[in-house]
Amino acid sequence: MILLVNPQATRPANRRFPLSVMAVGAALPPHVTWEIVDGNLPDIDVLGEIHGHVARQAKVADPVTVIALSVMPGPQLVSAVPLSKALKRRYPNIPIVWGGNFGSLYPEPVLNAPYVDWLVRGQGEQTFVELLEVLAGERDPKTVAGLCFRQADGSHWKAPERAWLGPNDLPAPPYHKIDVEQYLRPTFLGRRTGVYQASIGCPYGCNFCGVISVYGRREKVETPARAAERLSYLVRNHGMDSLHFYDNNFFLNEQHARAIAEALKPLGVRWWCEARVDALERFSDDTWRALRAAGLTMVFCGAESGSNEVLAKMNKGTTTDQILKAAAKTREHGIIPEFSFVFGDPDEPESEIENTLAFIRQLKTVNPAMELISYFYTPTPQRKGTYGGVDALAGTPDTLEEWIEPQWVAWMTHADPDLPWMERRLKARVEDFELVLKSRFPSVHDKRTRKWGKVLGSLAARRRWARADYDNPRLLRLIRKWARIVPDDSQAYGHLRPESLETDAPWPPAEASTAAAPSAADAAPDQAPRALLVD
Ligand code: B12
Ligand code: SF4
């Protein structure tokens, strides 16, 4: 049996289908048995679950032969490192495999980790099947594209990348392997929101983006009719009423958008997707109407900056004029736009921040329903180089232990990157702006502020917003604090609790055991830190 593990990446309340491990499992040959262990489920003890599987399978003629983890940069990495160590310590003879975005971007630290045996880079389905052939002694690991490992002399073997397949050539998500009911959760879109990815990659070339580093500048899309057929299963059998598309770039062009609208309309779901402003502003009114009628409720656009020079420097391929036009179109058709901005241009951080803040005000006038998502500039993958006229960024860590230190997690999540050109006062300026804006116009996603807090905050922020005065909004901070609904668990995004990492035993372990039965120590929930979770 193969265990496919999704280490905890988010609060249980925000769990979604673990599509990454579902995709890998779906592609396994029929004779291979497999199970998913999802660390995002409420109250799950991941190690305990794995121990249970290992113990049970040892008694039947189908022992666990591989434990494979999906690892995304950020909090999931923080969960995956101690989990992998604990597993290797407990089961030194079961190969530990990593796949997912982190190792695809940063293979070296994964290959330096003695508790990870194999790394699958890029698309995982075929590579993982071929790895199983390697483990069965049927093939030379060096013949497997996308596979990486430590060689006997300690050097790293990194196979050439694998030519990846589009969604039409891959199996459907295996919903029968998860408890679907556990994952259809309420969101702004509906009471039972699901997730789906109907394309892979992105054809654009924004030079800060991790997607093209993994998939190249290409996108392959699933035929809309095929996607709709898969989704109709969830609507019919599980009452899914809304949907979040994970695609990096949902609409290839207008014709594709129309085909999507036609295929999704009969499902009667409200949906969210990501799109480019240059694609959106070209859509005819008929297409906008068709999308609205098909359930498009919110569209996320990487606006990035209020300056055309900076957009050109990012190789974004869009202009501020296109952003404004997309905002106007969404208003006209009653669709909420989410615009994300990246603050902290290395060359002129201060003037660029002011410029972008002024642009966001303008956007808010064009479409008052717009939602703001803000990030701080963090080139991915990090490159050594000259930024803002100074040599900066020493490159990324060589070990996973360093990667899970707070400053690197902050960098991976774009939340609080420690960058030489991004002074604290500039960061505070952006945060204060965001607080004034979000107090004045509470976000539709905000379920954590009590209703009275939203009303009070909006009133208290009125004058500041009108005067563009964002400096140190102490009263708004207080209102936000008072009106906060205490989350139903104690996990908070961005709060790295050092003690949860300190409980992590040193590596290598003093002694390793091959026993299959779980021990109380291994089952301790603190092995996988639950502190750093996405909100
Ligand atoms: C879902 C998702 C999340 C969810 C994760 C839910 C979960 N895992 O349970 C949540 C909301 C938690 C999340 C958070 C973040 N995410 Co995220 N996320 C995504 C998203 C939208 C979809 C991923 C997905 O499921 N795709 C569908 C599956 C089928 O594809 P896949 O994951 O790529 O898996 C394939 C391969 O990677 C590989 N593979 C993956 N796992 C494994 C495991 C094994 C064993 C093998 C063999 C292969 C393998 O094979 C799979 C099939 O081909 C992607 C964007 C995208 N469309 O890819 C961003 C993305 C992965 N996220 C990203 C980022 C940056 C983040 C955050 C850091 C953002 C932030 N500011 O906080 C956080 C922190 C991550 C964390 N918590 O650890 C970036 C990563 C790029 C980068 N910089 O490296 C992406 C690409 C978005 C982007 N456009 O920049 N995210
Ligand atoms: S459009 Fe989005 S996904 Fe595509 S390269 Fe640019 S930032 Fe990345």
Side-chain angles (χ1 to χ4, degrees), residues 342-388:
V342 179
F343 291 94
D345 171 60
D347 289 326
E348 287 176 74
E350 189 153 12
S351 59
E352 162 55 9
I353 284 174
E354 291 310 320
N355 186 35
T356 296
L357 298 186
F359 183 69
I360 294 169
R361 284 185 74 87
Q362 192 186 349
L363 263 184
K364 196 77 192 162
T365 324
V366 174
N367 188 343
M370 78 147 251
E371 296 271 333
L372 169 68
I373 314 281
S374 59
Y375 289 115
F376 291 99
Y377 177 66
T378 35
T380 300
Q382 192 189 91
R383 299 167 186 90
K384 291 180 196 181
T386 309
Y387 295 84

Side-chain angles (χ1 to χ4, degrees), residues 188 298 336 338 364 369-373 437-449 454 480:
F188 159 74
M298 196 177 242
I336 301 175
E338 279 188 314
K364 196 77 192 162
M370 78 147 251
E371 296 271 333
L372 169 68
I373 314 281
L437 181 140
K438 289 190 172 166
S439 300
R440 180 74 191 102
F441 310 103
S443 164
V444 293
H445 297 298
D446 183 0
K447 292 200 200 103
R448 302 255 224 104
T449 311
K454 289 185 188 171
R480 177 168 264 217

